[in-house]
Amino acid sequence: MQTVQSDFILVSDRRADASFLIHHYLSFYLRAGCKVCFLGLVQSFSHYSAVGQRLGVSLAQAREKGQLVFLEGLKESFGVLLQDTSQETQPLSYLRSPGAGLEGLFRFVESCVRQSGDGNAGESWGPPVLLIDDLSVLLSLGVSVGAILDFTLYCQATVCSELQGNMVILVRCEEEDADDDEEGSNLLQRGLVHQCNLALHVEGLPTGYCRDIHGQMEVWWRQRGETIYNQRKIFHFKVHDKGASFFARGTSSAVL
Amino acid sequence: MAAPVRGMIGSTSIGNTTSFQKKTRSKLVSIPGTRPSVQNGQLLVSSGVSSLDYVIGGGLAVGTLLLVEEDHYDSYSRMLLKYFLAEGVVCGHELFLASARDHPDDIMQELPSPIVDDVAGMKISEGQSQPSDPENPDTMKIAWRYQNQPKVQTALASSVRFGHYYDVSKTMEPELRQAAKCHSFYQLQETPVVTASSPLPSPYHSLLKSIQTVIRKEGFDGSTPQSKVRNVLRLGLHSLGSVLWGDDVCCKDNPAHCHALTTFLYILRGLLRTSLSVAMVTVPSHLTQNRAVMGRIIRLSDTAIALESFKGSEKETNPLYKDYHGLLHVRQLPRLNCLSCEVPDTKDLAFKLKRKQFTIERLHLPPDLSETTVSP
């Protein structure tokens, strides 16, 4: 019996754009045949679909087959805001009452990852995967850091521990503020780093803007089951049309 | 003899001197004043300033939000808003203008007048001028290729060019301005609606409702059947976040409605993504005390630029900046439908406003690396 490694991967960025990693993980898990639950809170479905096309997966097909469940946050947001009755169980209920927490969203995720073998020609998918892009937008909508951390804890308990699946979450941070930001994204990121297995942090180059090297990424392997190791490495990267290339610091082809 | 191909793919513009037309395989919507992007096929509209179009990657993509951080006296950001609306008038797009300080009609009356190629003056005709006049007896014998050219370029009603130039010393003719359909929203004249259950304060809520009503009624979201020609809606929202909108994010350190503007922008972007519209929002960012809020606002928009004018600051006398009126910071460029966007080679840009042009130039050349060659 093989031990299935279930990962909670945190992707974060500061004044840079780490969404290329989310596109990569989406196409990676779809190609691997896993059941994917994607909470797309900041972009439309056609955006991911177009990028997925270049990376070799068809999101529309995956959605039809039932392999991909896509929650489009932007499209339904206005309708939810205008509704007279706010139901707690609705996934986007945080738009109407941000102080009430994310229980509706969690119920949606739970129902999605627990469904297996939908009866679509008896196809059974691999372990479920939860992808969120991006979680820090909920802070802009008024949800508290505590509620978000509760939500991720519930998701981790369900998806990773119980169902042996994986989770990839994108969090976008602001600059470190001198005065303590109570409800800031930095607090959220610190809390999530504590919960995760692997933290990928994307930033711009510390020396300034460069056209050929788009930034640096720090990889931090954290606690993993029995072994507790703490290893951090920094790579430089450049994003292409069909992916990104990573290289050790100072070895960009533009410089050598 | 090889015939040169000019003009857009699939469009029979009047300027073609040949009868050669490239067979079009794309099913792109052909709306006047728009063109597809060369990188990712997105439909782009011009922002009214051609050098700004170049800086942000060819133009504004339809369905996106442009955020402009105002300069201290709101002089150049207001100018950009007027360019944006004037471009909409010239291209025949519909306009929606919302403002809390000045009445939208006042802003519309200040629009700059477009510069037409023909010196003989412009006459407003009902539609595009006919390519050939059948009643004209003298057919050309020698220059027969030019037979189908219009005699005088008179039509400005629906221009197929992308990007125009404007003369800021003159205001737009009233006939031209009134030919464009403009919806306005003036905050001080709106009756406050009690929305106890909404997280948004009343002005933002009514503004969103008004925008959504216009989009739905005029069919920009595809809800009405295609009985009329498709068009683009340009939304200009002036000085959001200022106190006149009922928002205190610009005057307090710990505002009571700290999430009002961010929620508004999130939902506005949702409306834009599902309709054929483009929005330009100006925000007085120099008044916000909290930099984190500005960071969030920038993340919530697609393209974000900031204007910093030298007027009244010590940079006015700096010899490095003597040719320019201010600096332009590109805070964010969108990556739509692709992994990598057009990355500018330098971020040090300065602008100057001349009578006939708003130019944006590089302050200095970036470091020259072997992979990319930078043309001076």
Side-chain angles (χ1 to χ4, degrees), chain B residues 38-86:
Chain B
V38 289
Q39 292 149 31
N40 46 20
Q42 283 268 260
L43 199 62
L44 298 178
V45 296
S46 168
S47 61
V49 180
S50 8
S51 34
L52 182 62
D53 287 341
Y54 175 72
V55 163
I56 57 180
L60 289 172
V62 172
T64 63
L65 174 66
L66 168 69
L67 180 84
V68 176
E69 292 184 42
E70 291 174 9
D71 50 310
H72 278 253
Y73 303 105
D74 191 25
S75 37
Y76 297 105
S77 44
R78 200 185 153 99
M79 201 66 233
L80 282 184
L81 188 66
K82 287 191 278 190
Y83 273 118
F84 180 72
L85 296 169

Side-chain angles (χ1 to χ4, degrees), chain A:
Chain A
M1 188 174 121
Q2 49 186 186
T3 53
V4 178
Q5 198 64 254
S6 63
D7 283 326
F8 175 1
I9 301 173
L10 176 72
V11 178
S12 58
D13 62 29
R14 175 167 289 122
R15 304 191 69 192
D17 194 1
S19 48
F20 67 94
L21 290 168
I22 291 288
H23 291 295
H24 157 72
Y25 276 115
L26 178 59
S27 55
F28 172 73
Y29 283 119
L30 280 178
R31 264 197 294 252
C34 297
K35 175 121 199 264
V36 175
C37 173
F38 194 106
L39 305 183
L41 303 176
V42 286
Q43 294 285 4
S44 57
F45 177 74
S46 50
H47 167 76
Y48 297 103
S49 181
V51 181
Q53 204 88 339
R54 291 182 199 224
L55 296 177
V57 288
S58 166
L59 292 189
Q61 246 178 33
R63 192 156 72 160
E64 268 170 55
K65 282 190 299 190
Q67 188 189 6
L68 170 68
V69 176
F70 197 99
L71 174 70
E72 257 195 273
L74 278 183
K75 197 166 79 166
E76 294 145 36
S77 54
F78 187 69
V80 170
L81 188 76
L82 277 195
Q83 267 175 2
D84 287 327
T85 56
S86 110
Q87 303 148 358
E88 287 300 322
T89 51
Q90 207 186 31
L92 300 179
S93 61
Y94 54 84
L95 276 171
R96 282 192 56 82
S97 41
L102 297 171
E103 188 184 339
L105 195 60
F106 171 67
R107 294 283 166 225
F108 173 83
V109 168
E110 196 188 11
S111 67
C112 165
V113 298
R114 281 196 198 281
Q115 270 175 1
S116 54
D118 259 323
N120 281 350
E123 275 197 85
S124 64
W125 307 109
V129 175
L130 172 65
L131 288 166
I132 305 184
D133 177 16
D134 73 77
L135 203 54
S136 47
V137 77
L138 296 174
L139 289 172
S140 306
L141 297 172
V143 186
S144 69
V145 174
I148 302 179
L149 286 174
D150 286 344
F151 167 76
T152 50
L153 205 56
Y154 269 80
C155 287
Q156 191 183 16
T158 314
V159 174
C160 297
S161 313
E162 201 185 313
L163 300 172
Q164 302 295 311
N166 299 304
M167 263 169 69
V168 182
I169 295 186
L170 172 64
V171 172
R172 311 195 71 185
C173 307
E174 315 299 325
E175 270 188 77
E176 290 282 350
D177 230 350
D179 39 336
D180 197 14
D181 205 0
E182 279 299 323
E183 290 296 307
S185 46
N186 288 311
L187 190 63
L188 176 64
Q189 191 237 0
R190 278 198 287 270
L192 287 175
V193 157
H194 212 66
Q195 289 178 9
C196 72
N197 283 117
L198 171 63
L200 304 171
H201 185 68
V202 171
E203 261 185 332
L205 291 178
T207 44
Y209 173 74
C210 173
R211 189 180 187 171
D212 296 303
I213 306 171
H214 293 163
Q216 71 180 28
M217 184 174 83
E218 186 202 19
V219 182
W220 185 2
W221 283 276
R222 296 179 51 85
Q223 178 172 359
R224 196 183 246 215
E226 300 302 313
T227 55
I228 302 174
Y229 57 90
N230 215 350
Q231 194 183 22
R232 294 169 101 143
K233 275 194 174 167
I234 294 188
F235 296 98
H236 283 174
F237 68 88
K238 177 175 179 167
V239 180
H240 306 292
D241 203 30
K242 291 196 192 275
S245 55
F246 295 88
F247 35 87
R249 280 185 285 185
T251 59
S252 159
S253 53
V255 173
L256 290 177

Side-chain angles (χ1 to χ4, degrees), chain B residues 131-143:
Chain B
S132 64
D133 197 354
E135 292 169 310
N136 194 357
D138 37 339
T139 54
M140 297 184 182
K141 291 194 178 56
I142 298 171

Side-chain angles (χ1 to χ4, degrees), chain B residues 265-339:
Chain B
L265 288 176
Y266 182 78
I267 299 183
L268 176 66
R269 212 156 69 114
L271 283 176
L272 293 176
R273 286 286 197 271
T274 51
S275 62
L276 281 177
S277 39
V278 189
M280 177 183 197
V281 174
T282 66
V283 172
S285 65
H286 53 98
L287 294 173
T288 51
Q289 313 290 332
N290 198 350
R291 282 314 296 177
V293 169
M294 264 331 288
R296 284 193 202 150
I297 290 173
I298 290 173
R299 291 274 166 80
L300 284 168
S301 34
D302 294 299
T303 318
I305 61 172
L307 294 172
E308 183 192 336
S309 97
F310 297 145
K311 222 187 293 186
S313 78
E314 68 266 9
K315 292 183 184 166
E316 204 168 359
T317 50
N318 191 333
L320 178 64
Y321 299 137
K322 67 172 161 54
D323 291 329
Y324 302 105
H325 289 134
L327 295 177
L328 182 103
H329 305 281
V330 178
R331 299 266 192 239
Q332 185 172 261
L333 286 176
R335 289 163 192 222
L336 300 160
N337 298 342
C338 60
L339 265 184

Side-chain angles (χ1 to χ4, degrees), chain B residues 149-162:
Chain B
Q149 286 292 306
K151 297 289 184 298
V152 172
Q153 185 181 340
T154 54
L156 205 60
S158 60
S159 174
V160 294
R161 252 177 60 195
F162 184 88

